Amino acid sequence: MSFGDPNNPYGQPQGQGQGQQPGYGYPQQAPQGVPPQQGYGYPAAPPVSPYGGGGYPGVAMEMPGGVKAARVMMWILGAFNVIGGLALIGMSFAIDGELEKSGASSADAAAFGDLGQGILIGLGIFSLIIGALGMVLAAKFKSGANGIRIGTIVYASFTVLFSIFSLPLGIVSLVLGILIIVFLAKSDGSAWFNRNKQQY
């Protein structure tokens, strides 16, 4: 058997020296006109971010824990406002009923009763609207964009402001409002609400 035999598949190819083996050795240069490959001949995968910003479009990302907690707190604040609004409206009718039972017949007492009832009903309706707004914002967390995040931070800021004036009764809503602002201002909260913008 001769190493120089061109018909022998096991022989050394012609033009190769005694210590050289074909295809072995690192690195090898690609022939001209062929783009260089990374790794073991596979192209590099696109970067994958946990909340978008690259990777594969259409892949479902998981909502961060802080955003989930803020969403639950928004539902709680919305429920508190709805319950408070209904309580104010119910209280307004209870006050009107008490005035009628007391037999107050003067025009001043009747006007005062009507004014008080009107204020309570107005506050109750306002509280119902605020509660509904909070629930709508919470429902939009899964698919919402950065506008939902900004709207929620503004909503929580007003909640904190009004809770300060209603202390000590407003302590729960004060704490929830502060936590919502903190969770949505963090980088993972921002990345979650900006994920659709970053994918393309």
Side-chain angles (χ1 to χ4, degrees), residues 11-96:
Q12 184 175 8
Q14 294 181 1
Q16 298 263 333
Q18 182 70 9
Q20 296 177 337
Q21 295 183 1
Y24 296 101
Y26 186 82
Q28 295 181 2
Q29 293 184 356
Q32 286 187 343
V34 177
Q37 302 291 319
Q38 296 182 0
Y40 292 96
Y42 296 101
V48 178
S49 168
Y51 312 112
Y56 302 98
V59 176
M61 303 296 176
E62 185 178 352
M63 188 184 295
V67 177
K68 286 181 182 177
R71 184 183 190 190
V72 170
M73 292 175 199
M74 285 294 290
W75 282 111
I76 292 171
L77 281 178
F80 278 169
N81 279 308
V82 168
I83 292 169
L86 293 174
L88 285 172
I89 293 171
M91 197 184 313
S92 72
F93 290 111
I95 289 174
D96 188 48

Side-chain angles (χ1 to χ4, degrees), residues 60-138:
M61 303 296 176
E62 185 178 352
M63 188 184 295
V67 177
K68 286 181 182 177
R71 184 183 190 190
V72 170
M73 292 175 199
M74 285 294 290
W75 282 111
I76 292 171
L77 281 178
F80 278 169
N81 279 308
V82 168
I83 292 169
L86 293 174
L88 285 172
I89 293 171
M91 197 184 313
S92 72
F93 290 111
I95 289 174
D96 188 48
E98 287 297 319
L99 282 174
E100 288 179 3
K101 285 182 188 175
S102 67
S105 59
S106 70
D108 291 340
F112 181 75
D114 290 342
L115 178 65
Q117 185 180 19
I119 290 173
L120 287 176
I121 289 175
L123 289 173
I125 291 173
F126 179 73
S127 185
L128 288 174
I129 292 170
I130 294 297
L133 177 62
M135 291 179 176
V136 168
L137 287 170

